[in-house]
Amino acid sequence: MTSTNDRVVPPAARRRRRPTKTGVVLTEELIVETALRLLKEHGADALTVRRLGLALGADPSALYRYFRDTDDLLLAIADELIGRTLYAWRPTGDWRADLRDLGLRVHAGSLAHPQAAVLSSYRVTGRAHEIQAVETILGVLRGAGFPDPEAVRIYHAFIDQALGFAALDAASLALPPATREAEAAVWRALYARLPADSHPNIAAAARHLVLDMRRSAYPTALGMLLSAAAARLAEITADGAAAGPVRVGEGAVGPVPVGGDAAGPAPRSSGPSH
């Protein structure tokens, strides 16, 4: 599935008239779920129309009724990861806690599907879940009192940070286990043994480096970002109070409820900025 195809049909007309060889009826959702499984089990090389057709028990050409090419399928995969993030997230009305929870879910969802995250975390899908995520995050920020320009800047930083760490940590997680362990061993075998006379700062912090460098820095970075945003909101509030009553973020909306009642799988993402 590498070239564009004009045979993609509307969703209402996509249902097969008869089951595949494995007794299932093809849907866009089933194809995306199967692609996620193949990526997780076999890596990026698994994302081919031939392997998908084989896994689905369907003629590979049938997939073109749902997706124009592999890239179209990749965007659907990215949007599915966004949807899984939103499905289990519930706003509380505390903007800072809500964004922290959402950011952690974005990150965790990417690590649940590292191969897919590496391929899709930097993409803009323009699909329903991504649009819902952008609307939701901006709603949280505008509802907190950030003027629109500030809300957009913080959204930009928030989502790029989440997706950047997701791609970085997912790429590491996608490495063979032996490679990951060998890299972790460098901190123990090399950095922890550097002499204090030549590397005093590393030697002083060596024990902490060994412990901390194996973990993702995302929770720390996220906390720092939200603290900076809170400080900026305090400045805006103070400036507004000094200047008298102002209309901040005219038309601002509160957090947008998303998802159903049942908890779904945790975590791409919530829509990149580029």
Side-chain angles (χ1 to χ4, degrees):
M1 197 184 295
T2 57
S3 60
T4 58
N5 190 286
D6 295 329
R7 290 182 293 161
V8 175
V9 297
R14 289 176 181 174
R15 186 176 178 87
R16 286 173 53 97
R17 295 181 179 177
R18 56 190 176 84
T20 67
K21 297 174 184 178
T22 57
V24 299
V25 175
L26 285 184
T27 64
E28 182 173 325
E29 293 77 14
L30 177 61
I31 295 170
V32 168
E33 183 63 37
T34 303
L36 277 169
R37 177 174 58 81
L38 290 178
L39 282 169
K40 192 170 187 177
E41 294 176 354
H42 305 292
D45 292 341
L47 200 63
T48 67
V49 66
R50 185 186 65 81
R51 295 193 71 164
L52 270 171
L54 184 63
L56 290 162
D59 189 314
S61 64
L63 302 182
Y64 288 113
R65 291 175 56 84
Y66 301 84
F67 301 101
R68 291 186 300 275
D69 50 33
T70 306
D71 195 63
D72 193 30
L73 173 59
L74 187 60
L75 295 179
I77 290 171
D79 206 58
E80 172 63 17
L81 293 184
I82 299 171
R84 294 183 180 195
T85 297
L86 293 175
Y87 184 74
W89 179 77
R90 298 292 182 274
T92 65
D94 180 336
W95 71 269
R96 190 167 172 176
D98 288 343
L99 289 184
R100 178 174 176 80
D101 183 35
L102 186 57
L104 292 175
R105 288 179 183 276
V106 169
H107 185 259
S110 295
L111 297 192
H113 294 278
Q115 298 283 4
V118 168
L119 291 174
S120 67
S121 60
Y122 58 93
R123 301 300 302 275
V124 180
T125 75
R127 293 175 177 244
H129 291 140
E130 180 183 84
I131 292 170
Q132 183 183 17
V134 176
E135 174 71 10
T136 296
I137 297 169
L138 287 176
V140 170
L141 291 166
R142 296 180 76 231
F146 289 98
D148 291 348
E150 296 282 352
V152 169
R153 279 193 286 269
I154 295 170
Y155 162 78
H156 189 168
F158 171 81
I159 200 60
D160 274 14
Q161 182 193 65
L163 297 177
F165 271 100
L168 176 67
D169 294 337
S172 177
L173 194 60
L175 292 172
T179 302
R180 294 203 307 273
E181 180 54 36
E183 291 194 353
V186 173
W187 295 103
R188 300 191 304 269
L190 175 62
Y191 284 92
R193 297 180 181 179
L194 289 172
D197 56 349
S198 59
H199 300 84
N201 298 308
I202 293 177
R207 178 170 61 89
H208 304 290
L209 284 171
V210 170
L211 293 174
D212 203 68
M213 296 306 291
R214 296 195 64 152
R215 297 191 290 259
S216 172
Y218 178 60
T220 299
L222 176 60
M224 295 171 71
L225 173 65
L226 295 176
S227 292
R232 178 59 185 144
L233 183 59
E235 292 176 0
I236 293 169
T237 302
D239 290 345
V246 294
R247 300 182 70 182
V248 177
E250 183 176 0
V253 295
V256 180
V258 294
D261 293 330
R268 201 190 132 249
S269 60
S270 315
S273 59
H274 23 261

